[in-house]
Amino acid sequence: MKRIIIFVVYDFEGKVDLYLEKLLSENKNISDRLVVVVNGGIQDKGIEILTKYSNDVYFRKNNGFDGGAYKDVLINFVGIDAIKKYDELVLMNDTFYGPFYSWKIVFDEMKSEKCDYWGLTRSEEQCMSSHGLKSHIQGYFFCFRKNILDNTEFWDFWRKLPYASNHDEAVEEYEIGLNTWLQKRKYEGNSYLDICGGKALIERKTNPYRDELEDIIMSYKCPIIKRKAISFRSIKKVKNVEAFIRKSYKYDFDCVWENWIRYDMSDNNSTVSVEELKIFCESHNNIYIYGSGKMGNILMDIIESLGLGYKTNFVITSGETAENVFLIDEITLEELDGIIIGVGSEFMGDVYKIAIRKMNPKNIFIPNRRQRQEYSIK
């Protein structure tokens, strides 16, 4: 079976991190031809890495996001006639980490499945119902088989695909549009997560890679983690998954954190930066989380997951104390101690006023970036 992979790369700083090099190596191992298309710029060192794994590297402006990149490669760079010589076409982007074990295992298992196209994960999320879709293959990974490649209407889809001007439009036109096209023509789709036993999980009508992270990795051997599945609130789950992956596979998870932390630090839409939280904790002797409710406990989970929990306690203004919960007026704060505000926005003003009476503002950390700007804490 001859297979061509079209792999879209985008990095806001033009870097090629180690996780991406691992993915490139796996892609090369299971393809007869690996085509890399770079959306936007790439640094010289990155170009050296890309050309190490592929003789077909194309550069373009990030016009139309992934869908626009695939369209340009299929129609203009490589061409339909060349693509049709292959038995399988894989469209894949770089927004995930892995595979944690060989792609060969995945493709060998899917080889015997009677389907026309497949992906790694499938979603039955309710938001798709307005498009008439009961479920859809998630667009970061598509594999199409020969009968689809021989359908001239498939290539008409790509010729007509508009270059999206924003992310929502890109999802609508490419991911949802392609799934709709396939389903209307009665093509049979499947997902690797389905054949690994994850069908019941998918039927919860959630986004599996986002909402069911521990299950899809630890119970249903999903070989990847989406970058967007890692967030401030999911750190504890991710650390559990990391421990499982390190124990079960030969994958160096450090490369995941290397890339994710760089993206997390740059994301102005991210309300909380885990790396900033970690830096604050590491630069203070004792950490007190001001607030022992839901937000405070989320912060404690994250700090413990980062290996900093040995010096962390809660403080509260009033109420019942416990082994690690103290009244703020009853503790002595040293110069190198730090306070992390762990309350919601409705209590932030009052709690912050009390905190700055006890501590230099430089020793107070508000995890929420927007609130931090409001209180002028850098």
Side-chain angles (χ1 to χ4, degrees), residues 350-368:
D350 291 338
V351 166
Y352 179 67
K353 287 177 184 178
I354 296 170
I356 60 173
R357 290 203 300 266
K358 301 286 291 185
M359 207 63 161
N360 187 315
K362 292 182 179 180
N363 289 40
I364 299 171
F365 182 73
I366 298 178
N368 187 296

Side-chain angles (χ1 to χ4, degrees), residues 40-106:
I42 207 84
Q43 296 178 10
D44 289 345
K45 185 177 180 181
I47 295 173
E48 290 178 14
I49 296 172
L50 297 181
T51 54
K52 175 182 174 182
Y53 295 98
S54 173
N55 295 322
D56 294 302
V57 181
Y58 298 95
F59 299 88
R60 63 187 296 276
K61 293 181 179 179
N62 192 16
N63 184 19
F65 302 89
D66 290 351
Y70 295 135
K71 174 177 179 170
D72 281 351
V73 172
L74 295 171
I75 304 301
N76 302 319
F77 298 162
V78 176
I80 297 170
D81 290 340
I83 301 289
K84 289 173 70 174
K85 293 177 182 178
Y86 292 88
D87 302 299
E88 282 188 343
L89 164 66
V90 178
L91 304 181
M92 183 192 312
N93 67 26
D94 65 348
T95 61
F96 61 89
Y97 305 112
F100 306 127
Y101 51 88
S102 172
W103 272 148
K104 188 177 185 305
I105 296 173
V106 176

Side-chain angles (χ1 to χ4, degrees), residues 56 104 163 185 312 348:
D56 294 302
K104 188 177 185 305
Y163 291 98
R185 285 152 184 82
T312 306
M348 179 62 67

